[in-house]
Amino acid sequence: MLLRLLVETPAPTAAEGGSTVLTLLTTALPILLMVAIFYFLLIRPEKKRSKKMKEMLDNLQVADEVVTTGGIIGRVLSVKEDTVLIETGSDRTRLRVLRSSIAENRTVHDDVQS
């Protein structure tokens, strides 16, 4: 599109006193700045959050204490491909929930990273 504007725009005369490149730059610069701002303020942080969430869901283990998106707190009894079996409360109620509905893992693991 930029090339098309440069090719189709007639050359400025001395009376016009402007440069097409300068005009094009002043038009495109605000748009490019807006795209950069959206990327760094919206897109990039969301990608980081989703990557962290996926990592947390992939590292769920038996006996982890988790919180679901509905606010249910429980201990993981088994982890399957799409579902997680959790046990809640003192009456030992068991619930099978989707893995994607786990909002937070409250268990701190001592992972040794070198």
Side-chain angles (χ1 to χ4, degrees):
M1 184 165 146
L2 295 175
L3 184 61
R4 176 185 250 173
L5 287 173
L6 288 174
V7 171
E8 292 178 359
T9 306
T13 60
E16 291 177 10
S19 171
T20 58
V21 175
L22 184 61
T23 306
L24 183 62
L25 185 63
T26 57
T27 304
L29 190 62
I31 295 171
L32 292 175
L33 285 173
M34 286 176 52
V35 169
I37 289 170
F38 273 109
Y39 176 76
F40 285 109
L41 292 180
L42 298 174
I43 298 169
R44 190 169 177 230
E46 182 58 34
K47 283 185 179 181
K48 283 184 176 182
R49 274 191 293 273
S50 67
K51 182 179 177 182
K52 186 177 178 182
M53 184 67 148
K54 183 181 180 326
E55 185 177 301
M56 184 269 300
L57 291 175
D58 289 342
N59 293 329
L60 277 179
Q61 299 174 358
V62 174
D64 283 353
E65 186 176 62
V66 295
V67 179
T68 65
T69 54
I72 298 171
I73 300 172
R75 190 163 305 278
V76 176
L77 296 178
S78 72
V79 179
K80 296 193 178 171
E81 188 175 325
D82 292 338
T83 61
V84 176
L85 184 66
I86 62 173
E87 184 177 74
T88 63
S90 60
D91 60 350
R92 302 170 79 88
T93 304
R94 293 180 178 194
L95 299 172
R96 189 176 72 156
V97 297
L98 289 174
R99 185 185 280 228
S100 60
S101 70
I102 303 293
E104 179 183 356
N105 185 350
R106 290 193 172 176
T107 306
V108 178
H109 292 282
D110 295 330
D111 293 336
V112 179
Q113 297 177 357
S114 39

